[in-house]
Amino acid sequence: MKYNILDLGIMVAIISFLGFVVENVWLAITKGYMNNRNMNAPFLLGYGLVVLFLYFVLGTPANPVKWGLLKKTYSKKIQYIVYFLCSFVVVCIGEIILGTIVEWLCGFEYWNYSNIPMHITKYTSIPTSTGFATMITFFMGECFTPLMNWITRLHSIWLRGISVGLMVIMISDFLISFYHMIVEKDFYLKWKIVVRDNREMTKI
């Protein structure tokens, strides 16, 4: 791989933070509130790990790995279509696995997509997986390489320290938060901000 683990650690942190923002924006629009998303720090590690997995398995649309499904001989359009389909499958499988494990360990539903049309089990659906796969494909095709190149240009001792620090924070926070959910058998709610009155939303 072109980048070392410390460079990728910064990227995982950025994507995990973006995942935190995306989920809260979605909550604000659909539910009228935002919360800590079961974490202490504003990072959802699952988002970063999914993108890291896709990078190692597929590369990027423009620079696929040699052993992956993508080939440099494909046109740009085909590259993006194949990347989207692979991302879609990974998101579906990942959500089903995570949702099942959390419900088994913690005794409650982490989420439930049963009210969404074309859901595949209660943990994933075609509309949500399409949305996630679209964002992932766009990010990996247009943003990943420029951002990683910028990170590598900043390569220094302090950047290494930040990378290690962020990885320690994200991993330890993930373990602490899930330990709480396993023990309490409930969501780990630290804060909640109401941005829109639910009664007002029901009128729309």
Side-chain angles (χ1 to χ4, degrees):
M1 291 290 103
K2 181 178 179 181
Y3 311 109
N4 64 48
I5 190 64
L6 295 177
D7 295 332
L8 291 170
I10 296 290
M11 177 61 80
V12 168
I14 292 172
I15 297 167
S16 298
F17 174 74
L18 291 176
F20 179 86
V21 172
V22 166
E23 287 207 3
N24 268 305
V25 169
W26 177 251
L27 270 183
I29 293 172
T30 59
K31 303 291 185 180
Y33 64 83
M34 298 184 293
N35 62 32
N36 62 296
R37 307 310 300 137
N38 299 301
M39 297 292 153
N40 294 293
F43 302 102
L44 295 180
L45 185 58
Y47 284 81
L49 294 180
V50 166
V51 170
L52 193 64
F53 173 80
L54 288 170
Y55 172 66
F56 282 117
V57 173
L58 296 175
T60 66
N63 293 291
V65 295
K66 294 180 180 179
W67 58 84
L69 295 175
L70 296 173
K71 306 297 179 185
K72 287 189 175 182
T73 53
Y74 293 164
S75 66
K76 183 177 181 180
K77 182 178 180 180
I78 296 300
Q79 294 279 46
Y80 273 76
I81 291 174
V82 174
Y83 209 97
F84 168 82
L85 293 174
C86 291
S87 300
F88 179 88
V89 172
V90 168
V91 169
C92 284
I93 294 174
E95 285 197 309
I96 291 172
I97 292 174
L98 179 60
T100 302
I101 290 175
V102 171
E103 186 169 353
W104 176 65
L105 286 175
C106 303
F108 66 90
E109 292 179 340
Y110 206 19
W111 67 86
N112 191 323
Y113 290 159
S114 295
N115 62 334
I116 297 178
M118 297 182 288
H119 61 271
I120 307 169
T121 76
K122 59 186 175 184
Y123 301 118
T124 193
S125 73
I126 292 177
T128 54
S129 294
T130 297
F132 282 126
T134 299
M135 288 188 288
I136 291 171
T137 302
F138 173 80
F139 183 87
M140 296 302 288
E142 304 297 327
C143 306
F144 184 88
T145 299
L147 190 53
M148 283 304 305
N149 289 340
W150 174 74
I151 291 172
T152 55
R153 286 198 297 270
L154 295 177
H155 195 68
S156 62
I157 295 177
W158 65 266
L159 188 65
R160 291 182 179 184
I162 291 175
S163 178
V164 172
L166 286 172
M167 285 191 283
V168 169
I169 289 171
M170 289 187 294
I171 294 172
S172 60
D173 187 35
F174 177 86
L175 295 175
I176 291 170
S177 300
F178 267 85
Y179 174 77
H180 175 90
M181 289 191 287
I182 291 171
V183 171
E184 299 295 329
K185 303 298 181 183
D186 201 358
F187 293 100
Y188 185 39
L189 184 63
K190 294 285 290 185
W191 55 265
K192 179 178 179 179
I193 301 173
V194 177
V195 296
R196 189 173 181 180
D197 193 320
N198 285 331
R199 291 173 299 177
E200 183 180 323
M201 292 181 68
T202 58
K203 298 177 183 177
I204 299 176

